[in-house]
Amino acid sequence: MTAAQTMAGRRRISQAKLDMIVAAHEKFVTGKQGGKRASLRFMNLSGLDLSYRNLADADFSASILDGCRMVRTKLERANLFGADLRMADLRQAILIRADLRGACLRGANLSQADLTQADFREGQVAIPHPRKGLESSRHETRNGEVDEVNFSGATLDGSQFSGVSAFKADFSDCSLRGAKLSGANLKEANLSGAILDGADVKGANLEGANFTGAVMTGVDTSLARTTGAAMQGCLEASTERAMSRADEIYQRCLGNQAWCKTGGKEGAPARLDGEDLRPLGDRLKGLRLTAMSAAGACMVGIDLSGAQLQGANLQNADLRTANLRGADLRGAKLSGANLTKADLRQACLSPLPLGPERKTQAKLTAARLRYALFQSADLSEAILDDADLCGADFTGARLTKTSFRDCDLDQAQGLDFAPA
């Protein structure tokens, strides 16, 4: 379909008029007087700016939004049925449970967007008559189209992609837990480092796709087309042996806690180097694991929120999507660890006192911190030299004397080096 055909029958409005409609919608969303839900169906909004606005539950069905700027726009449950979002800038937009059936997003940027339970499947799209408009419209069935879309670092858990065309789309470091990808065209798509736990790829075209380092727990590719797909380093489900040893490893962790509580009289620091700790799930939450060693351990998705990990050795551990919120990581060794999409909000990574005038710093040298959350964390004197900071969010973090040598700071967000 040509651009001229898609524009036909759509009413063009100005940025000023759009701002008035959005302001009334924001009042509607927050329950203020004078509010009115935004109905922007069959509009031509191409190239306009909706960044940072709250458009939850707004109706954009069958509208033209190509080239629109919608950075961090709130679009929860928004109706974008049959909308044209080609080349739109939707970085960090919130599209939880958005209706994107039959929408075209070719070439759009949805890096770090939250698309949890969004629906991209086919839909019946109304095509207005060029002269008579909606009075004489016809209906056309369209598959969702996300060819060459940038979804890097986005959250797509539980999203509906059945039958969708995602040719050469970038899903690197995405979370696609439980996503429905059956019958989708993912030919030559980039899914390196993606979290695909429980995703359904039955009948999908995965030819030439890059799954290097992806987490493929519970993913059955036997009924998908996988010719030429790169599957090196994929992480499968925990082995039966790892599952059977979960209780034994947990007892070692409880022994670590006893060692902490008794000042070393009972128990001992846990030695878990190279172990698969995923079967422990949330059992380590809040535990005292000071001086634990889990170098090279597989800890993808585990819950360590509130855990005491002072001086812990987590070098080269796989901590993707791990919950470390509020954890005490003073003096921890995290060099070479993979913390992609990990939650470190309110975590403490400042130096660990070892005695009079002695301390050890938290070390994250060459760590992979892509899209990690460090909001309000304490990173005082932490060493992040040569770390990958792409998309990492440091908003409100304490960064006194933090070392970022050889880091690309332009790739990170929220960096503020002003004294706290």
Side-chain angles (χ1 to χ4, degrees), residues 270-277 292-299 312-318 333-335 337:
R271 295 288 173 260
L272 307 170
D273 298 346
E275 297 280 5
D276 184 354
L277 304 184
M292 175 184 83
S293 185
C298 181
M299 305 168 79
N313 181 8
L314 299 166
Q315 294 180 90
N316 300 311
D318 191 346
K333 301 178 184 75
L334 287 151
S335 297

Side-chain angles (χ1 to χ4, degrees), residues 42-116:
F42 294 96
M43 296 282 191
N44 175 9
L45 308 171
S46 57
L48 299 183
D49 195 341
L50 289 160
S51 294
Y52 306 101
R53 306 304 296 265
N54 188 347
L55 284 157
D57 298 298
D59 187 356
F60 292 94
S61 52
S63 282
I64 309 298
L65 294 125
D66 69 307
C68 270
R69 183 173 162 81
M70 304 168 85
V71 177
R72 295 197 182 187
T73 305
K74 292 183 179 179
L75 291 156
E76 296 104 315
R77 302 171 303 278
N79 185 356
L80 291 151
F81 188 100
D84 185 343
L85 289 144
R86 277 177 278 198
M87 305 304 292
D89 187 352
L90 286 145
R91 285 171 295 159
Q92 298 183 318
I94 307 297
L95 289 139
I96 298 168
R97 295 194 297 279
D99 187 349
L100 288 150
R101 286 175 297 161
C104 177
L105 291 111
R106 190 187 306 160
N109 189 349
L110 286 114
S111 177
Q112 289 182 268
D114 189 344
L115 293 137
T116 303

